[in-house]
Amino acid sequence: MYRFLLTPRWWGINLFVVLAIPFCVFMGTWQLGRFEDRVQSHEQAEKQPDPSTRAAKPLDELLPVDKVTSGRPAIATGTYADQFLVPGRELDDRQGFYVLNMLRTDTGKALPVVRGWLPGSASSAEAPPAPQGEVTVTGDLQASENMNSDGANARGGLPEGQVGIISAASLLNLVDYDVYNAWVTLPEAEAGGAGGAMKPVPAAAPQGSGLDLKAFQNLGYTGEWFVFAAFVLFMWFRLVRREAETMRDVALGLIPDEPASAGASPEATRAEDTGAEDTRAVAGR
């Protein structure tokens, strides 16, 4: 009864099933591994002490930024240069903007420093100027942002003096000197001056170190791939069963072996029958 499984048509169906099920299982396992990695990273991050409580170190000793050095206090000395505003940034459930200044160091590179946050729309008139002369800053180290970072604006089209993403790639297009592939945020308000009106911007946890929405997306994708594998197997069994039942009915004579094509009109069927009778009559003569 099941010899039809060896026909060319069924060879194609069987090959698809044999390839599809392992692929779905592999993808589901891979997504599950991604979720488990994020859970493990989250657990490790919780066991580690708060990076901001660790001793400050010179900037160059903490680069490049990774999950271990992210949030660590970094020390840098230099002179403030260009100032930019970073609009569309939220703090304490309020919309506002960052005030970012480029700290030119003795190495020839500039370190982006987020001096603070102000509420409302980005306005250069409201942003306090940076301190003059050589300064030494201690800020929480952060990796360059990307389009997936919270608040990042990758669409462009911002007014002059504003930047949507805090990254070396975006800032290099606005200044004529090298930029560190990192930035720092000052944990405390600047002492004295108009800078004291700005609120400090807390350091963000490194991407991929917490149970964020992406982690649960990985878990959801895991279930989807396993459902796909089960669906392929279910449909294969259903097709086999239907084919076997059809062949059984043909063998029992319940349905003709070659039924008339669907949709043929009664007139066409009668014409075929009349033609067949004429042919038999001629043959009888």
Side-chain angles (χ1 to χ4, degrees):
M1 181 180 296
Y2 294 97
R3 291 181 180 178
F4 62 85
L5 292 174
L6 301 179
T7 60
R9 181 171 70 90
W10 274 94
W11 267 111
I13 297 175
N14 295 336
L15 180 61
F16 171 78
V17 173
V18 168
L19 295 178
I21 292 179
F23 176 77
C24 292
V25 172
F26 169 78
M27 292 300 297
T29 304
W30 179 73
Q31 290 288 352
L32 181 60
R34 293 289 302 274
F35 173 74
E36 291 176 345
D37 290 341
R38 291 180 182 273
V39 171
Q40 185 177 5
S41 298
H42 176 68
E43 292 176 348
Q44 291 177 350
E46 286 187 334
K47 294 178 181 178
Q48 297 293 332
D50 187 353
S52 61
T53 62
R54 305 181 68 176
K57 287 188 176 183
L59 173 66
D60 292 331
E61 295 184 14
L62 299 176
L63 297 178
V65 186
D66 54 23
K67 292 182 180 180
V68 177
T69 61
S70 179
R72 290 280 302 272
I75 302 175
T77 301
T79 304
Y80 280 123
D82 296 275
Q83 178 168 288
F84 299 98
L85 306 181
V86 188
R89 298 305 174 107
E90 187 175 304
L91 184 64
D92 297 333
D93 297 328
R94 298 177 63 191
Q95 284 292 330
F97 61 96
Y98 294 166
V99 178
L100 181 146
N101 284 82
M102 307 299 291
L103 182 70
R104 301 199 64 174
T105 65
D106 295 337
T107 63
K109 290 185 176 182
L111 174 66
V113 178
V114 174
R115 295 170 46 227
W117 174 90
L118 289 171
S121 301
S123 172
S124 56
E126 298 181 9
Q132 299 293 318
E134 186 177 79
V135 295
T136 298
V137 299
T138 301
D140 296 333
L141 188 63
Q142 299 280 266
S144 288
E145 294 182 336
N146 54 54
M147 64 181 61
N148 296 321
S149 301
D150 292 338
N153 178 9
R155 296 188 299 271
L158 295 174
E160 184 178 357
Q162 297 186 20
V163 61
I165 298 179
I166 308 174
S167 68
S170 60
L171 291 169
L172 280 173
N173 297 323
L174 304 175
V175 297
D176 57 358
Y177 41 80
D178 290 335
V179 180
Y180 279 104
N181 189 24
W183 58 283
V184 299
T185 175
L186 301 183
E188 298 178 356
E190 291 177 333
M198 296 186 295
K199 290 186 177 181
V201 177
Q207 291 186 353
S209 62
L211 293 179
D212 53 8
L213 179 60
K214 291 184 178 180
F216 292 101
Q217 284 179 343
N218 292 136
L219 188 60
Y221 294 150
T222 299
E224 287 182 359
W225 282 112
F226 286 124
V227 168
F228 291 157
F231 178 75
V232 170
L233 188 61
F234 166 76
M235 289 302 299
W236 183 83
F237 274 113
R238 184 174 180 180
L239 290 175
V240 170
R241 181 180 178 183
R242 187 174 65 179
E243 187 79 5
E245 290 176 349
T246 301
M247 296 192 67
R248 182 194 61 188
D249 293 343
V250 170
L252 295 176
L254 299 178
I255 58 176
D257 191 9
E258 296 181 358
S261 57
S265 63
E267 293 78 4
T269 303
R270 286 196 297 270
E272 291 178 359
D273 294 341
T274 302
E277 291 176 357
D278 294 341
T279 301
R280 288 195 295 270
V282 172
R285 293 175 184 172

